[in-house]
Amino acid sequence: MKITSAEFIKSIADTGQMPRDSFPQIAFAGRSNVGKSSLMNSLLNRKKLVQVSSTPGKTRLINFFLINNSFYFVDLPGYGYAKVSKQMYKSWQKLLENYLQQSKKLTGIVVLIDLRHLITEADLQLIDWLEHNKLPVIIVGTKSDKLSKSKIIHHKKQNEFQLKKYNCCKIIPYSSVTGAGKSELWSDLMLLLDKKKT
Ligand code: GTP
Ligand code: MG
């Protein structure tokens, strides 16, 4: 995928502020600190377009980036981070749920899991909900550079086993450090975007 432009459009704290144009949206969801912002920068060959957190739980708003003047990447707030006040956490959860329910332009969701660990209950709940609502899901296993080749294969298989009842039962191992997995993920994203055009 040739990236000719990637611009930050807006951050929203309320779904009433979502972009009103008809460009398809691809959203990135996953636990706090799993590597959502890094993955987006890596896919777009940009170093700092999307803010990478030094402290987990930094992405509290929904951020929209317009790519090639034709589709959006949407950075969603991370879930499952305990060290914030309950009230704050609830308000992000609500924002996330509202977006997933209300966005008519949502074409697919990339759900990120940390390939070093077993998929969590919160991830499975999200995937369950997305599939129930007939939203296409792509699952990416992040931080693969922190694992040996054999561990990557093992953890991928182990997590795919947990996903066997879902359509999205394939995991794409990815490293935002080395770019491993980039072409495979782009080809799945292109399929989603092409589907939307027809
Ligand atoms: P929130 O916005 O807080 O939910 O986090 P996030 O999911 O956007 O994660 P982010 O991209 O900010 O990355 C969190 C930390 O993990 C940062 O220190 C990144 O440098 C690191 N990280 C992300 N992806 C990778 C990766 O593929 N490999 C390695 N080694 N580190 C990564
Ligand atoms: Mg982030």
Side-chain angles (χ1 to χ4, degrees), residues 27-37 40 50-51 53 55-63 74-86 88-97 100 110-112 120 122-123 126:
F28 294 78
R31 286 169 65 81
S32 265
N33 212 39
V34 70
K36 295 176 292 298
S37 304
M40 293 166 72
V50 189
Q51 200 183 3
S53 0
T55 40
K58 195 118 185 243
T59 313
R60 287 158 198 188
L61 303 168
I62 297 182
N63 302 308
V74 183
D75 192 12
L76 297 174
Y79 49 82
Y81 185 61
K83 284 188 192 162
V84 291
S85 76
K86 268 206 175 122
M88 201 176 206
Y89 188 68
K90 270 195 184 150
S91 79
W92 306 351
Q93 284 298 105
K94 197 75 216 143
L95 179 62
L96 188 67
E97 278 170 29
L100 293 173
V110 181
V111 175
L112 284 74
T120 67
D123 299 321
L126 174 67

